Amino acid sequence: MATRDRSAIATDDPHGLKGPRAADAIEPLEGPTINSATIESLIIARHGDPFGVLGPHLVDGTTVVRALLPSAVAVEVIATDREDGSLGTLTRIHHDGLFEGAIATPSPTVSGAPAYRLRITWPAEGGGTTVQEVDDPYAFGPLLGALDLHLIAEGRHHKLGESLGGRTATLQTVPGARFAVWAPNAQRVSVIGDFNGWDGRRHAMRRRVEAGVWELFIPALEAGARYQYEIVGAHGGLLPLKADPVALSAELPPGTASRVADSIAFTWTDDGWMGDRAARHAPDAPLSIYEVHAGSWIRNMDVDAEHGGHSFDWNALSERLIPYAKSMGFTHLEFLPVMEHPFGGSWGYQPLGLFAPTARFGTPADFARFVDRCHAAGLGVILDWVPAHFPSDAHGLAQFDGSALYEHADPREGFHQDWNTLIFNFGRNEVRGFLIASALEWLERYHVDGLRVDAVASMLYRDYSRKAGEWVPNIHGGRENLEAVAFLKELNTVVAERCPSAMMIAEESTAWPGVTAPVSAGGLGFSYKWNMGWMHDTLRYIEEDPINRQWHHDDMTFGMVYAYSERFVLPISHDEVVHGKGSLIRKMPGDDWQKHANLRAYLAFMWTHPGKKLLFMGCEIGDYKEWNHDGSLDWNLLDQPRHRGLQHMLRDLNHLYAGMPALHEKDCDPTGFAWIVGDDRTNSVFAFRRMGRGDGSVAIVVANMTPVVREGYRIGVPFAGEWRERFNSDAADYGGSGTGNQGTVHARDEATHGLPASVALTLPPLGLLILELATPA
């Protein structure tokens, strides 16, 4: 075989199509221009630099094209513009489908597109052949620019969904799909799918060493095509097929493939909402959140009724859920995670597709349309988001490139014992960047109004749920996870800069200081924090038989000791109605009447207590069943007056909370609350004032947590005159006894409880009253 120059193509000729040879001067090759070791590495898919071998190359001034096309019968190279016709035929140089041949140098294209295509003859099913014409993936230059690669390596690429992942694109007038994935320790990465028979030899990717990224453009590939990555890992072994960590779309579970996403952006109609959003999320605004699991709020019983029906998709939910939540007076919907997750029983809290809405409820465009419709109806959308950990499913992030890439190598740092999940390595630039880009994906691409960050406590402490010896101290010997703290601060700083009107809400159950304090003041920078202490204390109280509540009085009052240490959301969430805890109404003591009365009084206490509100679906109708993610809420209960009355009451509470400034303007301001009666343990009575910004903006709240009617119960009020009974949880319309004060009471100038006037009230059994000044004396 003649000696040939096998050096790389000159940088000014990336496609190797500017050689001096004329179109009519093709000399057949005397034999393969690459050695047997290179051929073998291509055939067994172990070559780490396929672009260095496949595609067009100059060899002794001749343009040589190589293509690896297993099963192909023949390959011809044709001019893109067809004017020059055939440029040459490739010869099979290995029986497993490696082809090579010299071609006439085609005329360059004006667009810069590759000037040739491959005409491939394939065997057809049932005999015969079929012909395919396609551009050569290995004729295209690099995809990602130097700035993209630099930002990825620094963990500061905030638009990863535009650079990594698999999405449609047009390169040099050629339509197709571009792919890029971070796998720095892999020896080879290939894109596989239906389009290449899931054969990892066909579309091996180009390695961009400077950032550990692999990339490839595949011509003619369309949106919706299924794909995965086949990876030869850090130690040379073939890994389980991997879904794309930055896929914008995925196939329906239990399938594990990603899907090529369309790069066309959704057309939004919510400019007005987005412009007004900051005021809706401010500490002085009413915030009432309806927490929903999209798959079990309501189900289509016309499909698979025997197994609990079938989930509605986003389009159907928009016709049902949006008007319901709006009519109920909620300001926001909060969804359990809708990011793609392999196991439905995790409710989304073990996600693997942190950039992709789950296919269970439709396409990404369907989800965007749902958010847009929420905004049109005046409803915000919050998503639960999980940056703390991820499942160890083989097709996911675990050992992604054959090394501990997203997770820690040491299980004392990288494994959650409670959930059998892996912990993100927050000390790695690329991992922090991946998570921050995921958060921005939902806030920017999908116009989501806030993220509730799950399991923050587990991120903050290295010894979270671990015994001595099971955790690794930080560099100072302490238990704080300094890398996670830095990540949360960076996350909230970036979100505040890019999406200043969006909310970041922490599910944090410890006394970590400054969760909602600004990062500049040493805090974590969240907008709000779930008040888990208030939730546990008050539920413990309300579950007690009323005769015992005098011994647990402090459970209802202690929350005010720290109510303004953070900006709080009061949560009655999904976690309180699963795993044997029973539904909210079943926690209530007594017979059916008392259960409903207790629940009405408890929810009324919550809605009048300082702090924003969150209620899990079904609690507003008194669903007796413990929540089941595979079932539906029992909407038939609304045929019963007490359940219908409970729903009616919650609707009125929401509208009252939004309509009375005293109940929301100073939710996060200590001047907005004062006890009137906080120590009447014997009667289990609580009374307090809520104040708004205006001088006359005041509401008086009085709760009687026993089933005994209390006549003539005198409390102090700030003004003499007529006070209107704006709300009574014991109203007959709500399923109560109708005991109350006939709508109005008169306060006289008789100082009580340190206030200049007082009023004698009839306190309903297991009831709560809200009074508002009607006419001053």
Side-chain angles (χ1 to χ4, degrees):
M1 183 175 73
T3 302
R4 301 184 185 276
D5 178 9
R6 300 190 182 99
S7 61
I9 301 172
T11 56
D12 64 345
D13 185 16
H15 299 138
L17 302 180
K18 297 182 181 178
R21 301 186 62 80
D24 59 353
I26 307 173
E27 291 185 8
L29 298 177
E30 297 178 12
T33 62
I34 50 177
N35 60 40
S36 58
T38 300
I39 292 174
E40 182 65 18
S41 67
L42 287 171
I43 295 302
I44 66 173
R46 288 298 188 276
H47 199 288
D49 181 22
F51 277 84
V53 183
L54 301 177
H57 294 267
L58 281 180
V59 180
D60 289 343
T62 299
T63 300
V64 174
V65 173
R66 303 186 193 97
L68 181 57
L69 300 165
S71 302
V73 175
V75 183
E76 183 181 8
V77 180
I78 59 174
T80 298
D81 57 15
R82 296 297 185 92
E83 292 180 2
D84 296 332
S86 176
L87 301 176
T89 299
L90 305 189
T91 301
R92 187 193 302 272
I93 61 173
H94 192 280
H95 60 82
D96 277 337
L98 181 60
F99 293 81
E100 179 187 66
I103 66 168
T105 304
S107 304
T109 62
V110 175
S111 67
Y116 74 88
R117 307 184 84 207
L118 301 177
R119 179 180 288 160
I120 309 167
T121 302
W122 299 99
E125 290 185 14
T129 59
T130 182
V131 176
Q132 174 193 25
E133 290 186 7
V134 66
D135 291 270
D136 186 355
Y138 296 97
F140 292 85
L143 304 180
L144 293 173
L147 180 59
D148 282 316
L149 296 171
H150 173 74
L151 292 175
I152 290 169
E154 289 288 313
R156 294 187 294 112
H157 200 307
H158 297 147
K159 288 284 190 180
L160 279 185
E162 300 297 324
S163 296
L164 301 184
R167 60 189 183 91
T168 58
T170 299
L171 260 60
Q172 302 161 351
T173 73
V174 178
R178 55 182 296 167
F179 300 88
V181 62
W182 178 58
N185 302 307
Q187 296 185 18
R188 188 262 298 171
V189 182
S190 296
V191 186
I192 61 173
D194 298 314
F195 48 87
N196 61 15
W198 302 88
D199 188 336
R201 296 171 295 176
R202 287 281 306 278
H203 289 107
M205 306 176 80
R206 172 191 283 114
R207 179 185 230 156
R208 306 299 300 276
V209 178
E210 55 270 53
V213 171
W214 300 74
E215 62 179 16
L216 185 68
F217 176 71
I218 302 180
L221 207 55
E222 297 180 345
R226 297 192 307 154
Y227 72 96
Q228 287 183 295
Y229 293 118
E230 183 181 274
I231 299 176
V232 175
H235 304 292
L238 196 63
L239 304 179
L241 299 183
K242 295 290 187 178
D244 191 334
V246 190
L248 303 184
S249 181
E251 71 172 329
L252 185 68
T256 59
S258 304
R259 288 192 183 275
V260 173
D262 198 325
S263 58
I264 299 174
F266 179 80
T267 302
W268 293 89
T269 64
D270 63 349
D271 288 351
W273 169 273
M274 298 297 283
D276 296 339
R277 191 171 70 173
R280 298 175 185 269
H281 294 169
D284 63 354
L287 193 65
S288 180
I289 304 165
Y290 189 48
E291 190 189 30
V292 174
H293 178 258
S296 59
W297 181 71
I298 191 170
R299 294 173 73 90
N300 183 357
M301 301 307 293
D302 292 333
V303 180
D304 199 18
E306 187 177 329
H307 297 96
H310 193 272
S311 299
F312 282 109
D313 61 16
W314 291 119
N315 294 322
L317 283 172
S318 69
E319 301 296 327
R320 295 164 172 81
L321 178 56
I322 293 174
Y324 175 78
K326 184 65 177 176
S327 71
M328 287 294 294
F330 290 103
T331 64
H332 289 71
L333 294 169
E334 178 176 324
F335 287 98
L336 277 61
V338 301
M339 300 81 194
E340 194 57 82
H341 50 282
F343 176 49
S346 76
W347 318 326
Y349 288 102
Q350 293 194 10
L352 283 177
L354 285 177
F355 291 73
T358 177
R360 292 169 174 86
F361 310 121
T363 67
D366 291 335
F367 176 67
R369 188 176 301 107
F370 177 86
V371 175
D372 199 47
R373 289 174 176 172
C374 283
H375 290 171
L379 277 173
V381 177
I382 301 167
L383 300 183
D384 284 8
W385 180 65
V386 188
H389 59 115
F390 58 91
S392 58
D393 296 60
H395 72 279
L397 302 178
Q399 292 283 309
F400 186 78
D401 63 357
S403 68
L405 191 62
Y406 288 89
E407 69 271 34
H408 292 273
D410 188 336
R412 295 176 300 167
E413 295 183 278
F415 183 73
H416 258 310
Q417 301 177 76
D418 290 355
W419 305 311
N420 292 319
T421 53
L422 300 173
I423 301 169
F424 282 107
N425 183 351
F426 302 112
R428 185 157 194 167
N429 290 344
E430 297 93 338
V431 174
R432 291 197 310 275
F434 168 79
L435 292 170
I436 291 171
S438 166
L440 293 172
E441 183 76 13
W442 303 99
L443 296 171
E444 293 183 339
R445 185 186 298 274
Y446 292 107
H447 288 206
V448 163
D449 301 291
L451 299 176
R452 188 280 243 163
V453 182
D454 183 64
V456 171
S458 76
M459 301 170 67
L460 294 175
Y461 300 97
R462 287 175 165 266
D463 64 345
Y464 181 86
S465 195
R466 294 178 186 271
K467 300 174 184 177
E470 294 179 346
W471 57 283
V472 178
N474 63 34
I475 58 173
H476 305 299
R479 59 195 287 255
E480 299 82 8
N481 190 329
L482 303 180
E483 294 81 6
V485 171
F487 161 71
L488 291 171
K489 290 182 176 183
E490 182 183 1
L491 166 71
N492 288 323
T493 298
V494 171
V495 169
E497 290 172 352
R498 296 178 65 101
C499 311
S501 62
M503 292 184 293
M504 296 295 287
I505 304 169
E507 187 214 15
E508 205 285 310
S509 56
T510 75
W512 185 280
V515 172
T516 59
V519 173
S520 60
L524 297 183
F526 283 95
S527 312
Y528 295 97
K529 169 183 171 174
W530 272 21
N531 194 335
M532 310 291 280
W534 177 91
M535 178 268 295
H536 286 301
D537 288 349
T538 57
L539 281 179
R540 184 167 58 242
Y541 176 90
I542 204 67
E543 289 178 31
E544 285 288 339
D545 189 288
I547 199 170
N548 296 324
R549 286 176 178 167
Q550 59 182 313
W551 312 113
H552 301 272
H553 198 78
D554 293 343
D555 283 339
M556 293 289 270
T557 61
F558 182 68
M560 287 312 304
V561 172
Y562 59 88
Y564 303 106
S565 61
E566 304 277 5
R567 292 187 297 275
F568 281 121
V569 172
L570 309 182
I572 298 298
S573 76
H574 64 279
D575 279 329
E576 308 318 310
V577 294
V578 291
H579 298 323
K581 296 178 183 178
S583 67
L584 188 60
I585 196 167
R586 287 199 180 275
K587 298 179 191 295
M588 305 296 130
D591 59 20
D592 190 67
W593 188 93
Q594 289 197 18
K595 286 182 183 297
H596 279 83
N598 272 298
L599 181 51
R600 291 194 304 269
Y602 178 71
L603 292 176
F605 181 82
M606 173 180 173
W607 252 250
T608 53
H609 192 282
K612 308 309 179 184
K613 326 300 176 190
L614 178 140
L615 187 68
F616 186 57
M617 63 182 200
C619 294
E620 83 279 13
I621 64 171
D623 197 336
Y624 276 114
K625 301 192 311 296
E626 184 174 85
W627 173 54
N628 173 15
H629 66 274
D630 285 329
S632 174
L633 300 184
D634 191 357
W635 294 103
N636 292 329
L637 289 172
L638 293 178
D639 294 335
Q640 301 177 29
R642 285 176 185 159
H643 293 273
R644 191 166 59 249
L646 174 63
Q647 183 194 48
H648 183 182
M649 185 209 72
L650 201 283
R651 180 186 298 116
D652 285 354
L653 269 177
N654 267 331
H655 290 294
L656 199 63
Y657 169 62
M660 290 184 70
L663 292 181
H664 65 257
E665 283 185 342
K666 293 188 175 182
D667 265 337
C668 305
D669 182 339
T671 65
F673 177 94
W675 284 110
I676 299 172
V677 177
D679 58 356
D680 189 355
R681 297 172 177 272
T682 303
N683 294 309
S684 296
V685 170
F686 305 87
F688 51 86
R689 285 183 290 158
R690 294 296 311 277
M691 287 81 77
R693 287 193 295 260
D695 292 339
S697 179
V698 61
I700 304 296
V701 179
V702 188
N704 171 22
M705 293 300 188
T706 69
V708 179
V709 178
R710 306 202 181 277
E711 303 279 0
Y713 193 97
R714 185 166 292 277
I715 65 167
V717 294
F719 308 106
E722 263 330 282
W723 286 79
R724 186 154 52 117
E725 191 176 82
R726 288 293 307 274
F727 175 86
N728 181 347
S729 69
D730 190 49
D733 285 349
Y734 303 152
S737 68
T739 303
N741 299 275
Q742 286 73 53
T744 59
V745 291
H746 184 79
R748 62 194 187 199
D749 290 317
E750 180 181 323
T752 305
H753 298 125
L755 295 170
S758 63
V759 62
L761 299 171
T762 298
L763 303 185
L766 296 172
L768 181 143
L769 306 175
I770 303 175
L771 306 178
E772 183 181 44
L773 185 65
T775 307

